[in-house]
Amino acid sequence: MLAILNVTAPFFALIACGYGASRYRLLPESAVPALNAFVLYFALPCMMFRFTLETPIAQIFSVRVFLAYTVGGLVTCVIFACVYSFATRERLHRSAYPALAVTWSNWGYMGLALIPALLGREALPVIVAGGMADLFVVLPLVLALGGAGAGGASIGAIAAGAFLRVAKNPMIWAVILGAIGSGLGVVLPSAPDTLVRLLGSAAVPVALFAIGVSLYRPGVPVLRADVMMITGAKLLLQPYLVAIAAIHLLGLSGFEMHVLVLMAALPVAGSAFLFAERAGSDPDAISGAILVSTALAFLSFSALCWAMGLEMR
């Protein structure tokens, strides 16, 4: 367990540093969009481009991994949406955004940094395939449920709009360009390669610091029942269902299952709050779940690594 904590503690400490910087006003509010823009449009795309460019194209994407994470995410979403709707006595579409929070892990900022540190660089192709399942299947369908239930456009139109928004994500294009370059055997010249490496190496610390900065929101509810429901389902239910899908439905290897389960065990992604806020669907509960799940994930994530008997790379 100590070996696991030696890996996980510095990553969560970086998040705590960002939270402290925001809490004690060491950074202006305008710094948050700037940090996120740097990570989303420069650092993470460069890191993903380098990874895919240097990886044989056959190893970049696994259909079975994609399907396992899709099934795990959708089953989690359906179960939680039904239970949440019954518990809150709200119509089903009002449960769509809490369900999104339960299924939408922070794999983009945290997972790409933390899981390879635990399991090695070999985990990255599995994270990419699982992430594509989230971006291209789970997210558009959940947003379609929430939008269609509120009236207006059809489910198909909403899903198509969500898909188009996802397609604009620069990380996706970084993976595509890197895969094309890998297939063509492209080798970057020295100067562009150095630039890409410099930007990519900044992705992990800046992304984790940015998470901490964005967590500080005065007045965010913490001890509400709905916050605890979302947090519990995120940290416990989704990893369990993803493990079942990976092992019993798709027959993945133990290593692939471990990566997907750790992805699912990550806290709620901050973008879930943005979607809920835009839709006016109780963003406070999701904001609280982001804070609580991130705080608790240090213990729950580390304990899960120990329970699965992971050996540090």
Side-chain angles (χ1 to χ4, degrees), residues 4 17 30-31 58 68 90 121 160 164 175 189 196 204 232 263 275 282 289 295 299:
I4 293 171
C17 288
S30 59
E90 295 277 3
R121 190 175 180 273
L164 288 175
V175 170
V196 170
V204 171
M263 282 181 67
F275 286 118
D282 195 10
L299 297 176

Side-chain angles (χ1 to χ4, degrees), residues 77-78 80-99 142 144-152 155 281-282:
C77 177
V78 170
F80 181 81
C82 293
V83 172
Y84 191 87
S85 179
F86 177 79
T88 59
R89 300 181 184 275
E90 295 277 3
R91 296 181 62 186
L92 188 60
H93 76 87
R94 297 286 298 175
S95 302
Y97 293 96
V142 176
L145 171 63
I155 291 180
S281 182
D282 195 10

